[in-house]
Amino acid sequence: MKHSLIPGAGCTPRPGPGRRGKPQVKTAAGAARAGFDPGFEFMQRKPLRELQYQRLRDIVRHAFEHVEYYRHSFTAAGISPATLRSLDDIRHFPLVEKQNLRDAYPFKMLAVPREKVVRLHASSGTTGKPTVVGYTAADIDIWAGLMARCLFAGGVRPGDIVHNAYYYGLFTGGFGVHYGAERLGCSVTPISGGNTEKQVMLLKDFGAHVLAATPSYALNIAEVAARQGVDLAGGPLRIGLFGGEPSSQAMRAELERQLGLRVVELYGLSEVMGPGVAGACTEQAGMHGWEDHFLFEIIDPASHEPLPMGCTGELVITTLTKQAQPMIRYRTRDITRLTDEPCACGRSHLRIEQIAGRDDDMLIIRGVNLYPSQIESLLVGFPGIAPHYQLIVTRQGSLDGLRIQVEAIPGTQVDRRQLAETIRHRVKSMGGVSCEVEIMESGGVPRSEGKAVRVRDLRHA
Ligand code: DLL
C-alpha cells in the first residue's frame, strides 16, 4: 500500500473545529428562522442523507446516460448506476481527475445538448488547455441560491453593499459572488480585480459593508489604503468574504486587524460549481458544505481509500444536482478534514475545516513535506516583518534549496542579518527544513490582484 505524503494525514479522528462566541440561535425554530434557505439548511441529518441518496441515484444515472466518459469509466470499473444501493456505495465509483476534464476539452463532459448551456466558465490552466465548465439556467439558479446562503450564513444581510473584487470572467469568483449577492438583495459593486487605488476610493466613498476578494488581494487593498491615508478599519466595512486560495489563521487575523472586519471564509472550485460549495457561518468554525447539493468524501490521496469522518486527507466532491456537467467523485487535491458535529449556528450541514493546501502545492524539500501556509503562519505577525512573502525553490546539484523572500516593515530599523537568521532558525525548528532568508525592500515581493503566487519553483526552469 502506498503511504500518504500529507503532513498530519491520518485516521485518528480529532474533535471538530472549536466554536467561537455564543450560539446565535438556541432552538430549532430559531435556527430555522435564521437561515436564507432554512428548509434545507437546518434539516435533520437523517432526512438530509436520504435526500442525498435520492439525488445521487438520479445524477449518477444522468451522467451515465448522457456522458460517454462516465459510461466508459463505469463500465471499465465493472459498475453501473444499479451498483448504488446506499450512499456508501459511492466508494466503488472511479475518481475523476482534472486531466480527465482536460481530455474532454471543450464540451465532451456535457450531459445536456450544448444549446441548453447558458454559461461557460473555465479554470486557468497555466499550461495547455483549460478545463471548461458549463451551466444550464437551472444550474445558475442553484448556484446563486447557494452563494446567497453562504453570504447570509456569514452575516451579510439584504441591503448591504458588497464590494466584489473577485475577477469577473472565465474565473468563477466574480460572477458567483455577484449573482449570490444580488439574490440576497444586496447592492453589488462589480469592480473585479485590479486598479487598487480605485478600489480603495470606492470602498470608502460607497461605504461598503462587505469586501469580497482573495485574502492576498485584500491585503494588497489594505496596504494601498494605508499608503493613501484612508482608514477603512474605521468605516462601515464589517465582513471580509475571503476565499479562492489558502490563508493561515495568522493572515486572517492580520486582515481583520488592518481592515476592521470579520473574515468569513468561502470555498469552491470551478470544476464543481465555483464559489459557494461551502461557506463559513458567523461561528467561524469551519465552512458548511451544502450537502443537499454536494456529497463530500475524504480519501487517502495515495491509496484512494475513503477515510472516516474527522480524518485528514483529500476532499472529493460529487455534485448532486448539476445538470449541465455532473461531477461524480471529483478529486479536488485540497487537503482538509470534515466534521458533522453539530454547529452552534444550528445548521446541520457538515463543516470543511481550514484547507491546509493542495497536495500538488505541497513542497517536498530534501524529503521534508511543507505547505506554503505553514510558512505563512510563521511569517505573518513576525516582529519587524511585513505580511508579504514568496518562496523560491531551487536545485543545486541533486539538492533542493528553499529561499524565503520577505519584506521588512517600512520605516523600521532592524538588523537584517539578525532578523534573517532568526527566521531561518524558526523555519528549521518548525519543519526541519534549512532555508535561506532574504529581507527585501518594501514592494520587493510581488503583490497579488487575484490568487497570489506564493511559490516559484525554479527546479525545472
Ligand atoms: O477559486 C472558486 C472560488 C472563488 C472560491 C472565490 C472562493 C472564492 P478555482 O479557480 O477553480 O475556483 O480554484 C479552486 O482554489 O481547489 C482550492 O485549492 C482553492 N480554494 C478555493 N477556496 C479556498 C479556500 C475558485 N477558502 C481551488 N481556502 C480549490 C483554501 C481555496 N483554498
Side-chain angles (χ1 to χ4, degrees), residues 123 166 171-173 242-246 265-271 274-275 287 332 334 354-355 358 451:
S123 88
Y166 285 113
F171 176 55
T172 50
F242 297 156
E245 64 183 5
E265 264 223 83
L266 182 63
Y267 174 79
L269 58 161
S270 49
E271 291 81 0
M287 299 172 282
T332 66
D334 292 323
Q354 187 59 52
I355 310 282
R358 298 176 56 79
K451 299 196 188 211

Side-chain angles (χ1 to χ4, degrees), residues 98 122-124 131 143 147 166 171-174 177 213-215 241-247 252 265-278 287 330-335 353-358 360-361 451:
K98 199 176 183 86
S123 88
S124 47
T131 51
W143 186 12
M147 258 315 306
Y166 285 113
F171 176 55
T172 50
V177 170
T214 58
L241 192 66
F242 297 156
E245 64 183 5
S247 59
R252 292 193 299 278
E265 264 223 83
L266 182 63
Y267 174 79
L269 58 161
S270 49
E271 291 81 0
V272 165
M273 181 177 80
V277 173
M287 299 172 282
Y330 184 71
R331 288 190 70 172
T332 66
R333 298 282 174 181
D334 292 323
I335 302 302
E353 211 186 75
Q354 187 59 52
I355 310 282
R358 298 176 56 79
D360 40 12
D361 278 353
K451 299 196 188 211

Side-chain angles (χ1 to χ4, degrees), residues 18-327:
R19 295 167 184 168
R20 273 176 57 170
K22 291 206 168 71
Q24 274 198 314
V25 281
K26 294 204 170 64
T27 62
R33 275 197 303 277
F36 177 76
D37 198 357
F40 289 99
E41 283 175 76
F42 297 91
M43 273 178 101
Q44 300 281 313
R45 287 204 62 77
K46 192 159 178 278
L48 182 57
R49 299 282 288 172
E50 283 162 10
L51 177 71
Q52 282 192 302
Y53 176 54
Q54 279 167 24
R55 289 184 166 178
L56 181 64
R57 264 193 341 211
D58 291 349
I59 206 73
V60 162
R61 186 162 295 283
H62 176 62
F64 183 78
E65 285 173 358
H66 297 106
V67 185
E68 202 183 313
Y69 168 80
Y70 287 115
R71 223 165 21 248
H72 276 150
S73 72
F74 291 3
T75 309
I79 54 164
S80 76
T83 307
L84 205 65
R85 281 190 294 268
S86 75
L87 266 185
D88 288 343
D89 285 333
I90 191 70
R91 62 167 58 220
H92 304 302
F93 285 72
L95 296 161
V96 178
E97 312 252 1
K98 199 176 183 86
Q99 188 57 43
N100 301 128
L101 268 75
R102 286 211 184 97
D103 295 344
Y105 181 86
F107 298 143
K108 288 203 273 291
M109 275 286 182
L110 290 182
V112 295
R114 208 268 313 134
E115 294 72 17
K116 298 271 181 216
V117 170
V118 299
R119 176 97 65 82
L120 290 160
H121 280 284
S123 88
S124 47
T126 39
T127 53
K129 302 280 190 195
T131 51
V132 178
V133 193
Y135 304 76
T136 62
D139 294 336
I140 295 282
D141 191 55
I142 288 174
W143 186 12
L146 290 180
M147 258 315 306
R149 240 194 229 185
C150 290
L151 288 156
F152 189 92
V156 182
R157 290 293 173 266
D160 280 341
I161 296 179
V162 177
H163 180 101
N164 188 9
Y166 285 113
Y167 267 108
Y168 283 64
L170 289 178
F171 176 55
T172 50
F175 281 98
V177 170
H178 184 104
Y179 274 56
E182 279 192 354
R183 172 68 59 88
L184 184 58
C186 300
S187 313
V188 190
T189 313
I191 185 153
S192 193
N195 206 347
T196 311
E197 278 81 12
K198 191 165 178 187
Q199 303 258 359
V200 171
M201 182 181 85
L202 295 190
L203 274 163
K204 175 172 165 284
D205 293 350
F206 289 6
H209 304 102
V210 180
L211 168 61
T214 58
S216 59
Y217 190 43
L219 186 68
N220 187 351
I221 292 174
E223 186 185 31
V224 171
R227 207 162 51 224
Q228 293 180 340
V230 175
D231 175 24
L232 290 177
L237 208 48
R238 217 172 66 234
I239 292 171
L241 192 66
F242 297 156
E245 64 183 5
S247 59
S248 61
Q249 176 58 38
M251 180 65 89
R252 292 193 299 278
E254 180 67 18
L255 289 166
E256 293 193 336
R257 189 184 65 76
Q258 290 196 23
L259 289 165
L261 44 69
R262 197 168 38 75
V263 172
V264 168
E265 264 223 83
L266 182 63
Y267 174 79
L269 58 161
S270 49
E271 291 81 0
V272 165
M273 181 177 80
V277 173
C281 64
T282 49
E283 296 298 318
Q284 292 181 300
M287 299 172 282
H288 287 283
W290 305 123
E291 291 181 272
D292 47 341
H293 293 278
F294 306 101
L295 182 66
F296 299 94
E297 299 172 80
I298 294 287
I299 61 164
D300 181 308
S303 70
H304 300 178
E305 282 302 310
L307 298 176
M309 186 66 74
C311 293
T312 299
E314 180 181 337
L315 183 64
V316 167
I317 306 179
T318 297
T319 61
L320 297 177
T321 49
K322 208 157 172 280
Q323 290 301 307
Q325 200 164 318
M327 280 292 124

